[in-house]
Amino acid sequence: MTIEGTPVQLRTAHWYDGQTRDNYIHRSWMKRGLPDDVFSGRPMIGICNSASELAPCNQHLDELVEHVKRGVWESGGVPLEFPVTSLGETQIQPTSMLLRNLMAMDVEESIRGNPIDGVVLLAGCDKTTPAMVMGAASVDLPAIMVTGGPMLTGRHEGRALGSATDMWRMSEEVRAGTLSEEEFLATESVMTRSAGHCNPMGTASTMASMVEALGFTLPDNAAIPAPDARRLRLAHLSGRRIVEMVREDLRPSAVLTRPAFENAIRVLSAVGGSTNAVIHLLAIAGRVGVDLSLDDFDRVGSHLPLIANVMPAGEFLMEDFFEAGGIPAVMAELADVLDGDALTVTGQPMREHWAGRTSWNRQVIRTMADPIMPEAGIAVLRGNLCPQGAVVKPSAASPELLTHTGPALVFDTIEDFKARIDDPDLEVTPNTVMVLRGCGPRGYPGMPEVGNMPLPAKLLKQGVTDMVRISDARMSGTAYGTTVLHTAPESTIGGALALVQTGDMITLDVPGRLLTLDIDDAELDRRRMEWQAPPPVATRGWYRLYIDHVTQADTGCDLDFLIGSSGSVISRESH
Ligand code: FES
């Protein structure tokens, strides 16, 4: 069965086109709600919904579903919503990253196994966006994404509060003794002002920006606030558009190309986006067979300036960013370094995304000639501490610490860190390099966001506001500091981080892209010979599968058997 007026074969014909017993089964049960005539020649559109009351940032997605459905019906398609796993960043333990690939598997198999011709992906919170793109990319049916949008700016005593970013700041002020616990807790009920995800350029806003920059959404998707009527209209238009995409047979593999990833990396630099985007973009690229490497982030993006003045690298929040023009305005500023030919889900080249757009507020979105910070993109480090790489985000770091040598203070686990960090007798100075290990993909497991270790209370009380910190963990996109993250290989599998001893000198040289443990090779070899691998932290279930198959941070922490695509063909029947 082809779609009327096109040579495109409907995938759902496999289920519905014919007079066999199997066709009967597929149609009959779906007729609980659908009339006879929708089974011939009408594109069936899945709406992949990650709404969950346990994922606060995604709670409102059900409302968007209704607007997507309107657009689908209007264009002649048949909308069919289905739920998938959801991951609430602030709620789920031990870390949402442990479950990103599980969600991606759920998305992939739910799309592949069901009778749909195209899919609208609804996500919001940090991991839900990349998980959905990963899963959909591995099926490669026409797909478009609508993210939930950032929450409105909460204010306490007249001052804007950045979700999580200001929580990190105030928490340190309490420990420094400059803010009372009472004042800190008074902000708790106003920080989350509305539906939506965190409102700085944290990981959720970053990933929404990345999917927009990849051309995987309609223009303006990333920044329209969650409760804004314009997001409902965007959902409606995305519903219309997915039906056209099915008619055009426009698939993710045509959109998620190398030029699209390079565009996304450039936007990542310009908006001061989360280091988590490195891991997620690598994982998505792996699903579509784009040969993206960790070094591409440095090569393509590190020399570009920061032009979006949004927390945590800047001052404003996503609501301001939207009013200033959002991602299309940023891309207009970057136009000279972007690939405008990259195809988008609109069917138009990427340059149409920013055509006619400009910044409407130069305080929030600056020009390339007058940036907030030059050369602000994520830097990739190498050296004997991280032969497979580590990352640092200069726009969130202290410039004076980007070149630093100091003695290591080692914490074997995050629990060890929490138990000792506020000990008044802890031997630590502002010069110390804090090292945290046991927090990589396999070791934790799941690589939690603990790389922005809080500073020792006794140093905070002296007015110290930043120190060099190194770990095999990740960092919340809302956080900041001179933190070296994603050190690979991780300590649990014998990476050099496992061999560091308190008192060893460590050199960080971001301009030189170096991270080194300053001991001679013979001593390093001796320690390596003596090192013993810790026992696995899990022996069964998902944890076990994850530990056995997760790749390191430099290749995106996907499961090794999930890399690539299996396509959308189902060749065997269920009855
Ligand atoms: Fe969901 Fe921050 S907790 S985006």
Side-chain angles (χ1 to χ4, degrees), residues 1-3 8-14 41-44 117 246:
M1 186 195 315
T2 56
I3 309 176
V8 176
Q9 187 79 24
L10 275 179
R11 175 178 184 259
T12 45
H14 171 80
R42 301 269 297 263
M44 300 279 181
D117 299 296
V246 171

Side-chain angles (χ1 to χ4, degrees), residues 441-442 490 546 549-560 563:
R442 289 200 208 175
E490 64 177 295
Y546 184 89
H549 292 281
V550 70
T551 69
Q552 291 292 289
D554 59 309
T555 51
C557 299
D558 204 353
L559 301 191
D560 51 15
I563 295 168

Side-chain angles (χ1 to χ4, degrees), residues 69-339:
K69 284 182 176 175
R70 291 181 193 182
V72 172
W73 283 122
E74 197 175 87
S75 289
V78 180
L80 296 158
E81 178 195 356
F82 60 95
V84 287
T85 306
S86 196
L87 304 171
E89 192 67 26
T90 52
Q91 310 303 316
I92 207 155
Q93 307 284 16
T95 167
S96 64
M97 186 62 185
L98 176 66
L99 301 168
R100 182 201 65 179
N101 300 338
L102 183 64
M103 180 176 172
M105 286 174 82
D106 180 5
V107 170
E108 177 178 345
E109 299 306 335
S110 294
I111 294 174
R112 181 178 296 114
N114 277 302
I116 55 177
D117 299 296
V119 62
V120 180
L121 307 169
L122 297 184
C125 198
D126 293 15
K127 306 300 176 295
T128 59
T129 298
M132 281 217 176
V133 183
M134 289 162 69
S138 284
V139 187
D140 204 28
L141 276 181
I144 190 170
M145 179 158 249
V146 180
T147 54
M151 62 180 79
L152 298 174
T153 303
R155 287 190 167 74
H156 178 65
E157 296 179 348
R159 183 183 163 168
L161 288 175
S163 7
T165 300
D166 277 308
M167 182 272 297
W168 302 120
R169 176 186 58 75
M170 290 185 291
S171 155
E172 293 292 76
E173 288 174 4
V174 170
R175 295 173 65 247
T178 57
L179 183 75
S180 72
E181 197 171 76
E182 197 179 17
E183 286 174 274
F184 173 55
L185 293 175
T187 64
E188 180 182 304
S189 300
V190 287
M191 185 162 281
T192 303
R193 181 178 160 211
S194 74
H197 58 67
C198 292
N199 57 16
M201 189 57 77
T203 304
S205 299
T206 299
M207 289 314 299
S209 301
M210 293 298 92
V211 289
E212 185 173 337
L214 283 166
F216 207 61
T217 72
L218 296 185
D220 289 309
N221 168 76
I224 301 171
D228 194 301
R230 284 165 283 191
R231 184 158 294 280
L232 301 180
R233 295 205 291 273
L234 184 107
H236 188 128
L237 294 172
S238 300
R240 279 189 195 165
R241 179 61 199 148
I242 187 63
V243 180
E244 292 166 7
M245 287 174 69
V246 171
R247 292 188 175 119
E248 295 162 11
D249 200 23
L250 177 53
R251 296 168 184 256
S253 53
V255 173
L256 301 174
T257 58
R258 185 170 181 94
F261 281 97
E262 294 197 354
N263 283 343
I265 291 171
R266 292 180 177 112
V267 170
L268 180 66
S269 302
V271 301
S274 165
T275 45
N276 285 316
V278 177
I279 293 176
H280 298 321
L281 288 175
L282 287 168
I284 295 167
R287 296 303 185 100
V288 286
V290 169
D291 186 21
L292 195 70
S293 74
L294 182 61
D295 291 323
D296 285 327
F297 285 82
D298 202 313
R299 185 183 58 76
V300 174
S302 66
H303 62 287
L304 290 172
L306 174 70
I307 62 170
N309 191 6
V310 181
M311 288 185 195
E315 306 165 76
F316 295 94
L317 292 164
M318 288 301 284
E319 200 177 333
D320 311 297
F321 181 64
F322 173 59
E323 298 298 346
I327 292 299
V330 169
M331 295 188 91
E333 287 301 328
L334 292 175
D336 288 346
V337 296
L338 295 177
D339 188 330

